[in-house]
Amino acid sequence: MYKYNDFDRSFIENRNRQFRAQVARRIDGSLTEDEFKPLRLMNGVYLQLHAYMLRVAIPYGSLNSAQLRQLAYIAERWDRGYGHFTTRQNIQYNWPKLSDIPEMLDALAAVNMHAIQTSGNTIRNVTADHFAGAAADEIADPRPYAELIRQWSTDHPEFQFLPRKFKVAVSGAHQDRAVTKAHDIGLRITERAGKIGFDVIIGGGLGRTPMIGKTIQEFLPVDDLLPYIEAVVSVWNLLGRRDNKYKARIKITVHETGIDEIKALIDQRFNEIRPSFSGIDQSLLNSIIADFQGPELRNEPVHEFHTRYDSAAVFRSWIDTNTAAHRDNTHSIVSISLKKPGQTPGDASSAQMRVIADLAEKYGYDEIRISHEQNIVLPHVHKEDLFALYCALKPYDLATANIGLISDIIACPGMDYCALATARSIPIAQQIATHFDALKIEHDIGHLQVKISGCINACGHHHVGHIGILGLDRAGVENYQITLGGDATQTATLGERAGPGFSADDLLPAIDRLITAYLSVRLSPAETFLETYRRLGQAPFKAALYPETQQNTKAA
Amino acid sequence: MPTPKLSQIITANALINGDVIYFTRHGTWSPNFDEAEVFEDDAIAQDVLIRASAQADQTVGVYLTKVAADNGSYKPAHFREDFRKTGPSNYFHGKQEGVKNV
Ligand code: HEM
Ligand code: SF4
């Protein structure tokens, strides 16, 4: 993992000192809220419905056990004993006191973490594939490139007052697990003639105007990465609509300018600035790559595991759903579900964080990842250790076998916390998960992603859920709109609205009808919900969601 | 259905702990919804809002919000304010835990 140097450390310490003084001046009345707000936002401090919220970056989702233990400690010492992991690989604390936040930031700095650029119109936390460095289908580890971009973008003087927020995601595998096509810039590592380069995708985004990003470079050489990204951000920084924040994201700039014209402008800018990148970025990159070599994997054959797998059905089910293929076939990637049915998706208690930290140290080479799907990943576990790991997770409600299934729901905080929400999302997720868990049919339903947002900002990625749910406020009552057929991977697609929304009470029965319809029309259990939807289109699903309308048209 | 006549109260979050607070008839802030001063008259409400907003060293985000008469007392007219008054629905946190000092 990347190691902070003295420069990084003193930069963070300085920032924390400045912010401590700013908080003191706010509290003693020398700063007004209007003056203070941009300062607190630069340090990840929001005001939500019931309290402040502190958003801490987990760059490219990577943590070690000491860092996770510190996150647990912070939750216990200054918050309410838990944290919320988000779709952007951040952790949010929902109940900090303003006067405690400087202490919390110092505690983070002690383990090389911070909250800088987790809000505001800056380049945000760079996210990456949560299986990075471990996946069997990986071409190259995306994290060194994410780290290079993080260093370049942190406190970059030209990019502190962008037209709007700017989000970058990097994936290095064949399967896109980083939702690269819904980011301002998505980078996918590809390979040509033994050399790696980047498929550069720009102008993706969710929110009120969702768009799938477009490829602007099919194979950008690694040497050109920073100058090219700088050219993209710099062209947008000038063109981006500062007059209207709803039109300020690069997706709108790309849409309004046209991909060809914006590409010409970016190429021109790239040619201007390319010579100023003297190669220091590349020597930096090489030293970062060395930091990401990954652990030396234990060389031991697998035998016990197979016996366990064949004899213990519950363990087998967990292995089948929660582990993924590792590049080394004696190891597995383990996803720890934070979605026990009934639980708040993405929340982990301090006790859970500590157990995971201990287990990562014991069985996982001290490596931990946070996924955008709001789960925790141990990227390298020897197969001989899987059974012991499973048994150790179980007492802490951390062994739910539901990764990728209907109860593995992404949900934003919604109206339970968020000041921008128009409806709740958490109770909807709890209801759906509990319902299908009780029916014991989720393994039969198979791979199905439900994603819920509490307003059009789409923090819960509902547009790219196989089933997307958007909570709205219809004349003072919560109302939920369903979209179908969204896809967050390399075949990214925006879901299509199914029809009128449902009240909170009618939503679960509607989802139940939808699933029943899927089970009856799929070709075989191997055909996923998304595949069935793609084969048949909306008709059978609409009929299930709106049976009355169907009867009316038949009667007419 | 005729819309019932709505009154207004002034609310904010406390500067230091972020807690939801309400402006009282004594010109102070209380964490207790029932102590909020209720304004029938919008002009008066706007006037007091200016006064309440001036206490910027205690509060963040001061605003007016609507309340509806409810059996001799008042309740928030919108569910958003209900959550602010009570706390989140996933945990027993916030005001439902018991009124704390501001
Ligand atoms: C205080 C809480 C939050 C606030 C105020 C907030 C605000 C926003 C806003 C205004 C947007 C729309 C941006 C645009 O379209 O220009 C947005 C998008 C987004 N947020 Fe949040 N958010 C919050 C919490 C979260 C959480 C908890 C997550 C993760 C679970 C998250 C992840 C995202 C993502 C993934 C998007 C959509 C991608 C995009 O930027 O286009 N946010 N957020
Ligand atoms: S989608 Fe809306 S409700 Fe949900 S966290 Fe984002 S801003 Fe809040």
Side-chain angles (χ1 to χ4, degrees):
Chain A
M1 195 143 82
Y2 175 69
K3 297 174 197 70
Y4 269 33
N5 57 29
D6 291 344
F7 174 81
D8 298 314
R9 256 187 296 275
S10 75
F11 172 74
I12 304 284
E13 281 165 14
N14 265 327
R15 268 294 279 267
N16 286 357
R17 246 194 314 275
Q18 285 167 4
F19 188 56
R20 182 180 284 275
Q22 289 157 354
V23 169
R25 279 185 285 143
R26 174 68 183 111
I27 291 175
D28 75 16
S30 358
L31 288 175
T32 63
E33 185 59 20
D34 286 348
E35 290 163 333
F36 180 65
K37 188 174 174 185
L39 301 172
R40 71 167 156 80
L41 287 177
M42 280 172 71
N43 292 285
V45 182
Y46 285 75
L47 182 69
Q48 303 213 83
L49 287 182
H50 321 282
Y52 289 99
M53 180 269 277
L54 177 65
R55 182 184 286 164
V56 177
I58 300 171
Y60 32 86
S62 285
L63 289 173
N64 59 32
S65 57
Q67 291 173 318
L68 187 57
R69 266 187 213 111
Q70 188 78 337
L71 294 178
Y73 168 73
I74 290 170
E76 217 163 55
R77 173 78 176 75
W78 293 289
D79 207 87
R80 302 214 173 171
Y82 72 100
H84 176 72
F85 291 101
T86 79
T87 43
R88 297 226 68 257
Q89 297 179 321
N90 296 311
I91 181 170
Q92 297 188 172
Y93 292 109
N94 285 329
W95 304 92
K97 280 198 176 98
L98 181 60
S99 47
D100 287 340
I101 291 175
E103 295 292 312
M104 297 168 83
L105 293 176
D106 284 349
L108 287 167
V111 290
N112 297 344
M113 294 182 76
H114 61 77
I116 296 167
Q117 289 179 211
T118 60
S119 65
N121 295 334
T122 53
I123 299 176
R124 300 288 188 87
N125 186 28
V126 180
T127 53
D129 181 351
H130 42 268
F131 292 169
D137 70 338
E138 185 166 278
I139 301 160
D141 191 337
R143 294 173 302 157
Y145 308 97
E147 173 58 27
L148 181 70
I149 297 167
R150 187 188 74 86
Q151 295 196 15
W152 158 82
S153 68
T154 301
D155 220 25
H156 191 301
E158 190 183 338
F159 303 139
Q160 293 303 303
F161 296 96
L162 293 169
R164 197 79 179 88
K165 58 176 87 166
F166 198 84
K167 300 177 179 177
V168 182
V170 197
S171 142
H174 292 286
Q175 174 78 16
D176 180 3
R177 287 173 288 258
V179 208
T180 56
K181 291 191 172 173
H183 282 77
D184 298 284
I185 293 183
L187 297 168
R188 296 191 64 204
I189 296 176
T190 55
E191 194 167 15
R192 271 189 196 174
K195 274 191 99 106
I196 66 163
F198 295 94
D199 173 6
V200 182
I201 300 155
I202 70 165
L206 303 172
R208 79 170 53 213
T209 320
M211 301 230 186
I212 298 296
K214 296 186 174 71
T215 290
I216 186 165
Q217 281 289 336
E218 281 179 2
F219 193 80
L220 182 76
V222 170
D223 299 356
D224 290 343
L225 180 64
L226 279 193
Y228 196 81
I229 293 186
E230 179 152 325
V232 172
V233 183
S234 156
V235 164
W236 167 67
N237 198 13
L238 288 177
L239 283 184
R241 298 267 307 260
R242 287 168 196 268
D243 60 318
N244 179 342
K245 76 170 185 179
Y246 301 124
K247 301 203 164 164
R249 296 286 291 269
I250 195 174
K251 61 190 172 187
I252 308 286
T253 317
V254 172
H255 185 73
E256 289 184 347
T257 314
I259 188 82
D260 294 331
E261 186 172 342
I262 206 158
K263 182 171 181 342
L265 292 168
I266 291 168
D267 287 343
Q268 191 189 338
R269 179 77 186 144
F270 172 76
N271 290 327
E272 281 163 24
I273 61 176
R274 182 68 187 87
S276 67
F277 283 75
S278 56
I280 293 175
D281 55 318
Q282 291 305 305
S283 49
L284 178 63
L285 176 64
N286 289 329
S287 79
I288 297 173
I289 289 177
D291 287 337
F292 282 94
Q293 277 315 305
E296 194 161 321
L297 298 177
R298 200 163 97 218
N299 185 4
E300 184 193 324
V302 182
H303 43 91
E304 280 279 296
F305 167 73
H306 298 296
T307 335
R308 297 278 190 198
Y309 181 85
D310 292 337
S311 60
V314 195
F315 174 61
R316 182 161 65 239
S317 160
W318 180 77
I319 291 289
D320 291 346
T321 36
N322 290 36
T323 63
H326 194 279
R327 60 181 152 78
D328 178 298
N329 65 14
T330 62
H331 284 69
S332 285
I333 302 173
V334 174
S335 292
I336 299 173
S337 169
L338 298 181
K339 313 285 179 67
K340 181 174 187 271
Q343 199 202 317
T344 302
D347 278 11
S349 67
S350 294
Q352 289 178 319
M353 289 189 239
R354 287 202 182 98
V355 168
I356 294 171
D358 291 348
L359 293 171
E361 215 167 31
K362 193 161 174 194
Y363 301 119
Y365 305 89
D366 206 24
E367 290 208 16
I368 300 156
R369 306 288 160 70
I370 305 304
S371 80
H372 83 268
E373 285 150 353
Q374 303 180 289
N375 292 310
I376 296 186
V377 174
L378 300 187
H380 317 285
V381 181
H382 194 283
K383 287 183 177 167
E384 287 299 282
D385 291 335
L386 287 169
F387 188 71
L389 173 66
Y390 171 77
C391 295
L393 287 169
K394 210 159 165 56
Y396 293 88
D397 285 341
L398 290 170
T400 311
N402 66 349
I403 297 295
L405 303 182
I406 192 171
S407 63
D408 182 10
I409 297 171
I410 290 184
C412 78
M415 185 72 92
D416 285 305
Y417 297 89
C418 178
L420 302 176
T422 42
R424 282 175 297 170
S425 6
I426 294 168
I428 302 298
Q430 290 171 318
Q431 276 171 27
I432 295 175
T434 315
H435 175 77
F436 288 99
D437 178 54
L439 293 176
K440 299 284 166 237
I441 55 170
E442 58 172 336
H443 289 267
D444 183 30
I445 298 167
H447 182 49
L448 179 51
Q449 294 183 322
V450 178
K451 305 187 191 228
I452 311 176
S453 307
C455 81
I456 54 171
N457 287 325
C459 305
H461 287 189
H462 65 276
H463 299 112
V464 290
H466 303 164
I467 298 177
I469 300 176
L470 165 61
L472 294 169
D473 172 350
R474 284 275 173 268
V477 181
E478 288 168 303
N479 186 274
Y480 295 89
Q481 216 169 66
I482 294 180
T483 49
L484 297 172
D487 172 0
T489 68
Q490 61 276 16
T491 43
T493 316
L494 299 172
E496 298 163 27
R497 233 188 94 183
F502 295 88
S503 72
D505 288 342
D506 292 341
L507 182 64
L508 182 60
I511 300 288
D512 189 79
R513 292 196 298 278
L514 190 65
I515 299 304
T516 309
Y518 156 64
L519 292 174
S520 70
V521 298
R522 68 182 178 187
L523 288 176
S524 77
E527 191 183 53
T528 63
F529 178 89
L530 187 61
E531 287 161 356
T532 307
Y533 180 83
R534 286 188 171 154
R535 180 171 57 84
L536 296 173
Q538 275 207 344
F541 300 102
K542 262 183 114 139
L545 284 173
Y546 306 101
E548 320 82 31
T549 338
Q550 210 63 16
Q551 271 158 15
N552 292 347
T553 41
K554 268 186 206 141
Chain B
M1 202 174 69
T3 0
K5 192 179 162 316
L6 297 176
S7 311
Q8 299 186 85
I9 60 170
I10 295 170
T11 182
N13 290 78
L15 173 66
I16 292 180
N17 66 8
D19 206 5
V20 175
I21 47 176
Y22 303 96
F23 200 62
T24 71
R25 63 179 66 254
H26 312 295
T28 55
W29 291 95
S30 163
N32 192 345
F33 176 86
D34 295 323
E35 289 175 15
E37 179 173 13
V38 179
F39 306 99
E40 309 294 336
D41 181 332
D42 186 54
I44 296 176
Q46 297 293 346
D47 204 46
V48 180
L49 178 67
I50 293 170
R51 233 183 332 126
S53 307
Q55 302 182 357
D57 56 342
Q58 293 178 46
T59 58
V60 199
V62 184
Y63 62 94
L64 283 166
T65 182
K66 297 209 156 64
V67 291
D70 180 39
N71 288 329
S73 65
Y74 291 90
K75 62 173 190 195
H78 193 275
F79 63 93
R80 180 184 197 268
E81 293 302 322
D82 242 341
F83 288 120
R84 288 183 76 244
K85 180 189 162 200
T86 318
S89 52
N90 62 331
Y91 298 119
F92 195 70
H93 281 345
K95 299 216 174 285
Q96 55 200 342
E97 281 178 301
V99 174
K100 293 179 298 295
N101 293 329
V102 183

